[in-house]
Amino acid sequence: MEKISSVQSSRVKAWQKLQSKKGRQASQTYLLDGWHLVQEAINHGGKLRAIMATTEQLAQHSEELPLGVPVFEINIEIAKKLSDLVTPQGIFAEVTLPVATRAPQFIHDGAWLFLDGIQDPGNIGTMVRTADAAGYAGVVFGHGTVDPYSPKALRAMQGSQFHLTLTVGDLKEWTAAFTQNDMNVYGTQLDKSAADLFTVPAQSQFALIMGNEGQGMQPELATMTTQNLYIPLTGQAESLNVAVAAGVAMFALKTR
Amino acid sequence: MEKISSVQSSRVKAWQKLQSKKGRQASQTYLLDGWHLVQEAINHGGKLRAIMATTEQLAQHSEELPLGVPVFEINIEIAKKLSDLVTPQGIFAEVTLPVATRAPQFIHDGAWLFLDGIQDPGNIGTMVRTADAAGYAGVVFGHGTVDPYSPKALRAMQGSQFHLTLTVGDLKEWTAAFTQNDMNVYGTQLDKSAADLFTVPAQSQFALIMGNEGQGMQPELATMTTQNLYIPLTGQAESLNVAVAAGVAMFALKTR
């Protein structure tokens, strides 16, 4: 086991670069922060490149670390450089980014969530976690949706990236391919000219599109769906948080 | 209109104190940050004590400000002192805290959300916003739930505090009084020995309890409910974000 004690170490500098999308794209890896997320990667086949842990964290978890993955002992100053938290736990893993290509024309089943221009990393992570919990097959990040491998998105995701397919794609292509394959694609709108979500029968092979927090779906995409749905709001709030709306719609649409 | 140009002004110092619960309790007021929230207060009968705005914001909104409320012209340095955002919009209102007493024994209708030990201000605000959107009558904050008038909670709330009743209470008292009044009180648990949420018929007079992010409901409260419910999770995620779970349950339980 290598011990790193300087925040100036080239390894530390390389790991710090994983805080940005650019850095993650360059190395094709991302960073997990905290034991819960590291454990999810270990238990669910995440491709670990390195584990970094303070002396204290190593004492707690060394028995549970997988063989064959390089382990680096770090100190709390380094942990603070690697984390965006004020008081990081002190254990991290560098994990390979999944190869994110799926051809939608070959998909014929499962419930899918399409994200069109979602901007908040916390919303992204929460929606992936909810899709996992609701038994969805995968989440497709449309162009314009923020990267799901940022520290904040991963924290909200709680390890769900290891449980279902995450991929990037052109949502117009995905929508066209799904409808071609006789899978319904449901858009969501605030517009009451759309159909009431709760009138649609639950099903097992379809896609649900959630749009941008402020603007909703791209207008062109909205014209390509099987049907657009709204959640009936009976109070005075004009809208829901997008992650809450996604949760309500995901559970309502999918056969349980 | 008074113009304030020093961050050392006693008024600025008094407004800054509203960032903490202690400060809000002492003055019995809280601070709204940004035009959207100030506008909600103006349009929905919020009791405004003062409006503070930069020259630029005054130019945009002076026509829309209510008569009889003192307006203070501030600069961007002061705006930054009053806000927890890096780039505040530059318009604020000081608003009277609602008198938060409702006696549950006199409540005989409506859908109510009880929050038992919720810790994250963003979750609190999102749940109030969702309760409003779903047409709930009110939200009761149990002891141990964080204060709903923090800047972060208010931002997630989006002005919904002006649309429904928010009150603080002992949830055991509320649960006992509601069941006494023949209103169902539903707890939520991760435990599959509880009943499947989606098997409960939608209704219009009841309470739903959401428990702490990590620990769930207090065990004693769980024994006092009409029934405890779980959301059937068919994937690998062990739980949902509490605000998402609340959204799914609020829409499933309430007659639309």
Side-chain angles (χ1 to χ4, degrees):
Chain A
M1 183 171 54
E2 191 176 329
K3 188 168 179 170
I4 305 178
S5 49
S6 164
V7 295
Q8 300 298 328
S9 145
S10 61
R11 287 199 190 274
V12 173
K13 287 182 178 170
W15 290 323
Q16 278 184 283
K17 287 187 181 154
L18 303 180
Q19 284 161 359
S20 74
K21 182 177 178 182
K22 194 180 156 196
R24 294 189 291 271
Q25 290 296 326
S27 73
Q28 287 294 303
T29 62
Y30 67 100
L31 209 62
L32 296 172
D33 181 350
W35 175 243
H36 175 68
L37 299 188
V38 174
Q39 196 179 25
E40 284 290 309
I42 294 170
N43 292 343
H44 294 277
K47 287 180 188 155
L48 283 85
R49 300 275 200 94
I51 292 172
M52 302 76 100
T54 58
T55 318
E56 187 193 32
Q57 287 292 316
L58 282 173
Q60 279 183 51
H61 300 298
S62 62
E63 301 278 304
E64 298 158 89
L65 301 183
L67 297 173
V69 177
V71 177
F72 298 88
E73 187 175 343
I74 58 171
N75 56 38
I76 193 69
E77 285 69 39
I78 295 173
K80 285 184 179 174
K81 290 280 177 193
L82 301 187
S83 179
D84 64 336
L85 297 174
V86 180
T87 51
Q89 231 182 341
I91 187 163
F92 303 84
E94 184 183 2
V95 182
T96 303
L97 278 176
V99 179
T101 46
R102 283 290 298 268
Q105 53 272 34
F106 303 117
I107 294 176
H108 292 271
D109 55 18
W112 292 76
L113 179 66
F114 293 178
L115 301 184
D116 182 30
I118 305 289
Q119 290 306 300
D120 180 81
N123 284 338
I124 297 264
T126 301
M127 287 192 274
V128 171
R129 178 182 175 190
T130 308
D132 174 16
Y136 277 55
V139 180
V140 184
F141 302 92
H143 306 309
T145 287
V146 299
D147 189 66
Y149 297 100
S150 69
K152 197 175 167 206
L154 291 166
R155 202 147 51 230
M157 214 175 283
Q158 297 264 307
S160 284
Q161 73 270 29
F162 300 115
H163 305 161
L164 75 174
T165 299
L166 302 190
T167 186
V168 171
D170 180 323
L171 295 184
K172 288 177 199 161
E173 270 177 43
W174 279 73
T175 299
F178 269 43
T179 49
Q180 182 76 27
N181 290 354
D182 287 328
M183 288 171 73
N184 292 323
V185 179
Y186 295 104
T188 47
Q189 294 185 320
L190 283 172
D191 187 349
K192 292 200 177 173
S193 71
D196 181 337
L197 165 73
F198 296 104
T199 63
V200 177
Q203 46 204 282
S204 52
Q205 296 156 25
F206 66 96
L208 167 69
I209 309 176
M210 299 304 303
N212 174 272
E213 287 90 341
Q215 313 299 316
M217 281 189 295
Q218 310 165 54
E220 200 185 330
L221 188 59
T223 65
M224 296 176 63
T225 58
T226 313
Q227 197 170 29
N228 295 321
L229 309 176
Y230 75 93
I231 298 175
L233 303 185
T234 52
Q236 294 177 73
E238 288 156 19
S239 63
L240 293 168
N241 165 282
V242 69
V244 172
V248 171
M250 278 193 261
F251 278 92
L253 281 176
K254 186 172 167 292
T255 316
R256 285 177 291 270
Chain B
M1 184 171 51
E2 192 175 327
K3 187 168 180 171
I4 305 178
S5 49
S6 165
V7 295
Q8 300 299 326
S9 147
S10 61
R11 286 199 191 274
V12 173
K13 287 182 178 171
W15 290 322
Q16 279 184 281
K17 288 186 181 153
L18 303 180
Q19 283 161 0
S20 75
K21 181 177 178 181
K22 194 180 156 195
R24 294 188 291 271
Q25 290 296 326
S27 74
Q28 288 294 303
T29 61
Y30 66 100
L31 208 62
L32 296 172
D33 181 350
W35 175 242
H36 175 68
L37 299 187
V38 173
Q39 195 180 25
E40 283 291 309
I42 294 169
N43 292 343
H44 294 277
K47 287 181 187 154
L48 282 86
R49 299 276 200 91
I51 291 172
M52 302 77 101
T54 58
T55 317
E56 187 193 33
Q57 287 292 316
L58 282 173
Q60 279 183 49
H61 300 297
S62 62
E63 301 279 304
E64 299 158 89
L65 301 182
L67 297 174
V69 177
V71 176
F72 298 88
E73 186 175 343
I74 58 173
N75 56 39
I76 193 70
E77 286 69 40
I78 295 173
K80 285 184 180 176
K81 290 279 178 194
L82 301 187
S83 180
D84 64 337
L85 297 175
V86 180
T87 51
Q89 231 183 341
I91 186 161
F92 303 84
E94 184 182 2
V95 182
T96 303
L97 277 176
V99 179
T101 46
R102 283 291 297 267
Q105 53 271 32
F106 303 117
I107 294 176
H108 294 270
D109 54 19
W112 293 75
L113 178 67
F114 293 178
L115 301 185
D116 182 29
I118 305 287
Q119 290 307 300
D120 180 81
N123 284 338
I124 299 264
T126 301
M127 286 192 276
V128 171
R129 178 182 175 190
T130 309
D132 174 15
Y136 277 56
V139 180
V140 184
F141 303 92
H143 306 309
T145 287
V146 300
D147 189 67
Y149 297 99
S150 69
K152 198 176 166 206
L154 291 165
R155 202 148 50 230
M157 213 174 284
Q158 296 265 308
S160 284
Q161 73 271 27
F162 300 115
H163 305 160
L164 76 175
T165 298
L166 303 190
T167 186
V168 171
D170 181 323
L171 294 185
K172 290 177 198 161
E173 271 177 45
W174 278 73
T175 299
F178 268 44
T179 50
Q180 183 75 27
N181 290 354
D182 287 327
M183 286 171 75
N184 292 324
V185 179
Y186 295 104
T188 46
Q189 295 185 319
L190 283 172
D191 188 348
K192 292 202 176 172
S193 72
D196 180 337
L197 165 73
F198 295 104
T199 63
V200 177
Q203 45 205 281
S204 53
Q205 296 157 25
F206 66 95
L208 166 70
I209 309 177
M210 298 305 301
N212 173 272
E213 287 91 341
Q215 313 298 316
M217 279 190 296
Q218 310 165 52
E220 201 185 329
L221 188 59
T223 66
M224 296 175 64
T225 57
T226 313
Q227 198 170 28
N228 294 321
L229 309 176
Y230 75 92
I231 298 174
L233 304 185
T234 51
Q236 294 178 71
E238 289 157 19
S239 63
L240 292 168
N241 165 282
V242 70
V244 171
V248 171
M250 278 193 262
F251 278 93
L253 281 175
K254 187 171 167 292
T255 316
R256 283 178 292 270

